[in-house]
């Protein structure tokens, strides 16, 4: 079973001391996988549709249906937000 690409170190901050020494603060970064590039646009599309669909229904006079979708689309917005976050860079746990 393959575990994927090896984590790499990324320097986050450098502190220069008075004596000339340098303190390096770094994290291990897990490289993105091929599907990470897809999760962000899909998450954004879900959020846009979750906001636009009830607005479209309400503007065409479908008040109760628009309100029902607006209430149900809270879950779709949360799923879209999670997809956007999953597409971001990941810090590996020590």
């Amino acid at each position: 079973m393959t575990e994927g690409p090896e984590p790499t170190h990324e320097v986050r901050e450098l502190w220069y001391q008075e004596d000339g020494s340098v303190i390096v603060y770094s994290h291990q970064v897990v490289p993105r996988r091929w599907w990470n590039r897809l999760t962000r646009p899909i998450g954004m599309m879900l959020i846009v549709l979750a906001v636009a669909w009830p607005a479209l229904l309400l503007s065409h006079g479908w008040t109760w249906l628009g309100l029902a979708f607006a209430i149900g689309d809270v879950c779709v917005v949360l799923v879209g937000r999670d997809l956007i976050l999953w597409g971001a860079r990941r810090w590996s746990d020590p």
Side-chain angles (χ1 to χ4, degrees), residues 13-74:
E13 293 182 40
L14 295 173
W15 289 291
Y16 296 97
Q17 302 295 317
E18 293 176 5
D19 62 355
S21 62
V22 179
I23 298 174
V24 178
Y25 176 63
S26 66
H27 280 288
Q28 275 191 327
V29 179
V30 178
R32 293 182 181 183
R33 301 187 188 258
W34 66 269
W35 48 266
N36 285 121
R37 290 187 185 100
L38 296 176
T39 57
R40 297 189 86 151
I42 291 171
M44 285 186 247
M45 286 188 335
L46 281 175
I47 292 173
V48 167
L49 288 174
V51 172
W53 180 245
L56 182 68
L57 288 173
L58 289 171
S59 69
H60 287 317
W62 295 77
T63 307
W64 290 109
L65 189 60
L67 290 175
F69 271 101
I71 292 168
D73 283 345
V74 170

Side-chain angles (χ1 to χ4, degrees), residues 3-14:
E3 303 215 3
E6 290 292 322
T8 58
H9 286 313
E10 180 179 275
V11 175
R12 298 283 292 165
E13 293 182 40
L14 295 173

